[in-house]
C-alpha cells in the first residue's frame, strides 16, 4: 500500500495547491512494476514516478520491493526513495492474506493469532474507512486473539501502537505461520466475514482520522522523506518446522 495506507477523507489527496482523487491504499497495488533483478531465491521489482502518478501524487519517487526466500522464510524489503527537490510525505503498508483455515487439518473456528506480548491497550475503531474518534476495547485475551467473523463486522482491527513485533497465526497442535514486523509501528488485522482468508498487515501509516481533511504532509502517521533520502520498510513470513513423530 503506497503512498497511503487506508482511506483519505472523501478519497481526496491534498498536497500543497493540488487536490486529487486517491482511492483507498493508494496506487502501487494496481500499478505495473518492472522486474530489475532476480535469481533462484529472490526478485526485485521497481515502480518509478510517471505521468499517471504525478497527476494524483505530485512527487518524484522510486519504490522498490525485494522478495527473498531463506529456508522457510519469505523476507519482504521495501525502499521508498525521494528523487525530488522537496520533502515527500508517504506511507507504506503490507497487505498479505493467509488462508483461513490453513491447510493443515484444523477447523476454521480453532484458528487464532497469538501476539508476542500482551496487548491490553484499546484499539482504533473504523468509521467509513476512517479512524474513529472513540477507541475500542482490545479484543485480545492477554496475547491471544481468537478469530471469529464478528470481529470484522465493522472493518479492520487497527493497532496503532502494538507492543509486539511478531505474531503467530494458526491452530494449536498444527503448523503455524510467524509474521515479523520489527520496523513497522502499526498493525492491521482484517477479513471479510465468512471469507476464506485473514490479512495480517504491518503498516507504517494508517487511515485518516475521521476529522482530518488537511495536507498530506500533516496527516497523522505519514513519513516525511527528505530530498535524496530513502525510507525502508520490512516484514517476514516464516512457516514453522514440520512436527516430527
Amino acid at each position: 500500500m503506497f503512498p497511503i495506507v487506508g482511506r483519505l477523507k472523501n478519497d481526496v489527496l491534498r498536497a500543497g495547491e493540488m487536490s486529487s482523487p486517491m482511492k483507498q491504499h493508494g496506487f502501487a497495488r494496481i500499478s505495473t512494476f518492472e522486474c530489475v533483478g532476480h535469481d533462484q531465491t529472490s526478485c526485485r521489482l521497481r515502480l518509478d514516478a510517471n505521468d499517471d502518478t504525478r497527476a494524483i501524487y505530485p512527487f518524484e519517487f522510486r519504490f522498490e520491493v525485494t522478495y527473498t526466500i531463506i529456508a522457510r522464510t519469505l523476507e519482504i524489503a521495501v525502499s521508498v526513495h525521494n528523487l525530488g527537490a522537496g520533502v515527500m510525505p508517504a506511507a507504506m503498508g503490507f497487505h498479505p492474506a493467509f488462508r483461513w483455515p490453513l491447510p493443515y487439518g484444523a477447523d476454521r473456528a480453532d484458528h487464532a493469532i497469538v501476539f508476542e506480548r500482551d496487548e491490553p491497550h484499546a484499539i482504533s475503531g473504523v468509521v467509513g474507512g476512517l479512524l474513529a474518534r472513540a477507541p475500542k476495547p482490545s479484543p485480545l485475551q492477554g496475547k491471544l486473539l481468537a478469530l471469529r467473523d464478528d470481529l470484522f463486522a465493522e472493518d479492520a482491527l487497527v493497532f496503532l501502537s502494538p507492543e509486539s513485533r511478531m505474531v503467530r497465526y494458526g491452530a494449536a497442535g498444527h503448523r503455524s505461520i510467524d509474521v515479523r514486523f520489527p520496523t513497522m509501528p502499526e498493525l492491521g488485522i482484517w477479513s471479510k466475514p465468512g471469507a476464506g482468508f485473514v490479512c495480517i498487515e504491518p503498516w507504517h501509516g494508517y487511515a485518516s482520522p475521521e476529522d482530518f481533511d488537511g495536507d498530506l504532509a500533516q496527516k497523522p502517521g505519514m513519513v516525511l522523506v527528505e530530498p535524496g533520502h530513502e525510507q525502508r520498510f520490512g516484514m517476514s513470513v516464516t512457516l514453522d518446522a514440520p512436527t516430527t513423530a
Side-chain angles (χ1 to χ4, degrees):
M1 299 181 281
F2 172 84
I4 60 170
V5 173
R7 285 191 64 192
L8 301 171
K9 192 165 187 178
N10 300 317
D11 294 320
V12 173
L13 182 147
R14 307 186 191 282
E17 300 299 316
M18 172 184 271
S19 294
S20 59
M22 177 74 72
K23 294 293 187 181
Q24 179 170 293
H25 301 329
F27 52 73
R29 64 185 183 140
I30 57 172
S31 297
T32 300
F33 284 65
E34 176 187 6
C35 181
V36 294
H38 65 89
D39 57 28
Q40 290 185 327
T41 59
S42 69
C43 67
R44 182 160 55 96
L45 309 176
R46 177 180 295 168
L47 175 67
D48 284 332
N50 54 59
D51 290 344
D52 290 338
T53 68
R54 294 183 190 104
I56 55 176
Y57 179 66
F59 301 97
E60 295 298 314
F61 68 86
R62 170 164 288 172
F63 183 101
E64 291 189 335
V65 54
T66 301
Y67 297 90
T68 305
I69 296 174
I70 302 173
R72 299 186 308 275
T73 296
L74 172 65
E75 294 188 350
I76 310 171
V78 170
S79 62
V80 176
H81 302 250
N82 181 358
L83 305 180
V87 173
M88 182 178 74
M92 207 299 297
F94 298 99
H95 203 322
F98 302 95
R99 286 182 59 180
W100 179 20
L102 289 171
Y104 306 124
D107 291 339
R108 189 173 185 270
D110 294 331
H111 282 62
I113 295 173
V114 181
F115 284 64
E116 179 183 28
R117 300 180 181 178
D118 289 348
E119 301 289 349
H121 305 297
I123 66 172
S124 294
V126 179
V127 177
L130 305 176
L131 290 192
R133 297 183 189 91
K136 297 174 60 175
S138 173
L140 275 72
Q141 297 179 344
K143 301 178 183 180
L144 180 71
L145 177 67
L147 291 176
R148 52 182 203 278
D149 286 323
D150 65 283
L151 288 173
F152 310 106
E154 297 179 359
D155 210 314
L157 307 180
V158 179
F159 298 81
L160 289 185
S161 300
E163 298 290 335
S164 303
R165 288 293 172 266
M166 186 275 282
V167 298
R168 176 165 292 168
Y169 165 57
H174 297 264
R175 298 188 73 176
S176 60
I177 289 172
D178 288 350
V179 178
R180 292 181 171 84
F181 45 100
T183 63
M184 307 298 285
E186 294 94 32
L187 182 70
I189 299 176
W190 175 75
S191 181
K192 287 184 177 181
F197 65 85
V198 61
C199 295
I200 302 173
E201 308 175 27
W203 297 342
H204 203 307
Y206 44 87
S208 293
E210 59 180 321
D211 55 358
F212 180 84
D213 195 23
D215 193 276
L216 193 65
Q218 277 75 54
K219 178 182 174 298
M222 301 300 290
V223 178
L224 302 180
V225 187
E226 296 291 333
H229 288 238
E230 68 174 322
Q231 181 75 31
R232 297 184 178 183
F233 311 89
M235 66 166 290
S236 67
V237 179
T238 302
L239 178 64
D240 74 345
T243 301
T244 56

